[in-house]
Amino acid sequence: MSDQTFLAPERAAEHVSSTEQRTLRVLLAGPRGFCAGVDRAIRVVEEALRRYGAPVYVRHEIVHNRTVVEGLEAKGAIFVEELDEVPADGHVVFSAHGVPKAVPAEAERRNLLYLDATCPLVSKVHREAERHFAGGGPEQRHILMIGHAGHPEVVGTMGQLPQGAVTLINDADEARSVQPEDPSRLAFITQTTLSVDDTAEIVDILRTRFPDIEGPRREDICYATTNRQEAVKAIAPESDLVIVIGSPNSSNSQRLREVAERSGARRALLVPKLADLDWSVLEGVETLGISAGASAPETLVQEMVVALSEHFVLQIEERIVKKENVSFRLPGPLATSAD
Ligand code: 0O3
Ligand code: SF4
């Protein structure tokens, strides 16, 4: 995603009622924005377009960000929700969130050429689920999946196993009330983008109620989710307002907003992009924290900072809590020449 569009200063000016320039301290959380799984998923679509030409179909938003989706649409991607919207000779990419096993099976039945952009860290959870299920044999455990109902990652992970093999645990109350058939043969897995703190509480409840439960050491929340939440925690206590740049359907972005609020920010807002910013929220704000969800391009952060600089004297500090150095190879059919 190299395209960078800055809002013309004249347009940004429409949003402010006062021309008086005062100082605004800006704390930029680091890490923020794209994770390795999102970067890879976007490269899969771009590389597919380059190799096969437009159109390339993408099942579900490749990542939950309208700017990313619109950028790829402009290059020839067509986003659909189900495979039956893909024509017989179409190339189709599965989104970073993962898909139930039935989806590639259906693509194969229809002889569609498909590319799987599921993040390797989501695929890892799929394999964990399969390992606990153990092919339905004598070692089989019933699986409790901690996650949010209806989210595509949850649908995809639960869809690795037959119906009934996985029970979804949405929150601590459900962890307290779930009544599994055999409490001695349980395992748990989690969505990768959950709140680290909420999930720790849920895991504690499950481990206390079911001491024999198997699972990861802590949970399956990925490095990127963990680091972005830590980074927001570091800036929130000093911030009058934290703006998290991200789309409303982005689970990890929503969690960052919650983390900011719970960690001491006076207020925290999810803002998809500069054009969605209600400038009145900045009234009385002396320190503004900014972060971005794992699916939000850095260009959106820069666009916001540039627009802010038109109206305030900015004192920008970047607070980096961790350096990241993760990247993933493209999936099989694209790996050789593009990586
Ligand atoms: O899972 P989430 O709604 O946060 O998805 P996004 O916003 O597309 O971010 C990428 C994360 C992902 C693909 C699943 O881990
Ligand atoms: Fe992968 Fe984590 Fe990014 Fe999801 S948030 S795509 S699991 S790296």
Side-chain angles (χ1 to χ4, degrees):
M1 300 298 294
S2 53
D3 309 349
Q4 191 157 328
T5 47
F6 291 104
L7 190 72
E10 318 82 76
R11 248 191 84 204
E14 292 166 15
H15 299 281
V16 283
S17 53
S18 160
T19 52
E20 187 187 319
Q21 292 228 325
R22 65 176 175 87
T23 299
L24 179 67
R25 188 165 162 247
V26 174
L27 302 179
L28 288 174
R32 62 177 178 274
F34 278 10
C35 60
V38 163
D39 176 71
R40 172 181 183 265
I42 295 168
R43 283 190 289 127
V44 169
V45 180
E46 289 174 339
E47 179 62 12
L49 282 163
R50 197 183 67 77
R51 285 204 188 192
Y52 310 120
V56 163
Y57 290 81
V58 185
R59 184 189 176 278
H60 192 69
E61 289 191 347
I62 186 74
V63 297
H64 291 149
N65 187 277
R66 285 310 303 164
T67 304
V68 170
V69 166
E70 285 164 15
L72 292 172
E73 277 174 343
K75 294 177 180 172
I78 296 178
F79 289 85
V80 298
E81 277 309 309
E82 293 303 337
L83 278 192
D84 57 16
E85 298 166 66
V86 181
D89 56 350
H91 294 83
V92 62
V93 177
F94 303 149
S95 81
H97 316 93
V99 289
K101 268 200 168 25
V103 172
E106 172 63 7
E108 271 158 36
R109 193 191 64 76
R110 288 188 53 206
N111 283 322
L112 295 176
L113 198 151
Y114 68 87
L115 296 162
D116 189 356
T118 303
C119 175
L121 300 181
V122 173
S123 299
K124 181 171 153 262
V125 183
H126 291 181
R127 302 293 81 79
E128 264 176 62
E130 286 184 318
R131 186 170 54 76
H132 293 307
F133 187 67
E139 296 302 306
Q140 181 185 331
R141 289 176 177 263
H142 184 73
I143 296 167
L144 304 179
M145 176 165 193
I146 305 169
H148 298 298
H151 188 281
E153 182 183 329
V154 169
V155 173
T157 302
M158 291 181 75
Q160 300 305 302
L161 299 181
Q163 232 175 353
V166 185
T167 299
L168 185 62
I169 305 291
N170 278 283
D171 54 29
D173 283 345
E174 290 188 9
R176 284 186 202 98
S177 61
V178 66
Q179 295 295 345
E181 231 167 76
D182 182 353
S184 70
R185 300 207 65 78
L186 288 177
F188 77 89
I189 56 175
T190 78
Q191 200 175 332
T192 57
T193 53
L194 300 176
S195 149
V196 170
D197 296 335
D198 287 353
T199 308
E201 184 196 355
I202 295 171
V203 169
D204 271 356
I205 295 167
L206 293 178
R207 286 199 199 278
T208 305
R209 287 191 64 205
F210 312 117
D212 296 330
I213 197 166
E214 276 194 2
R217 196 166 64 84
R218 281 193 303 214
E219 19 65 3
D220 298 303
I221 297 171
C222 75
Y223 81 96
T225 301
T226 307
N227 291 348
R228 279 151 192 69
Q229 290 179 15
E230 277 309 308
V232 160
K233 282 183 185 175
I235 60 162
E238 290 172 65
S239 300
D240 300 307
L241 170 68
V242 169
I243 289 178
V244 175
I245 298 176
S247 293
N249 60 340
S250 167
S251 166
N252 78 86
S253 306
Q254 290 283 10
R255 300 293 83 76
L256 287 180
R257 195 206 66 75
E258 288 169 7
V259 166
E261 215 162 52
R262 291 178 191 176
S263 310
R266 214 153 40 93
R267 192 175 180 195
L269 293 169
L270 190 68
V271 178
K273 58 182 185 310
L274 175 62
D276 303 305
L277 177 66
D278 169 3
W279 286 76
S280 69
V281 298
L282 292 164
E283 276 166 29
V285 171
E286 287 176 12
T287 300
L288 171 68
I290 299 182
S291 181
S295 47
E298 176 65 12
T299 50
L300 297 179
V301 175
Q302 296 304 323
E303 180 184 71
M304 180 90 58
V305 171
V306 167
L308 288 167
S309 74
E310 304 290 339
H311 306 290
F312 301 95
V313 177
L314 297 187
Q315 286 178 351
I316 302 176
E317 286 172 47
E318 189 159 31
R319 297 275 178 86
I320 299 174
V321 299
K322 196 161 264 177
K323 293 267 185 208
E324 288 179 345
N325 187 21
V326 182
S327 68
F328 296 127
R329 293 172 65 80
L330 294 182
L334 302 179
T336 42
S337 70
D339 259 354

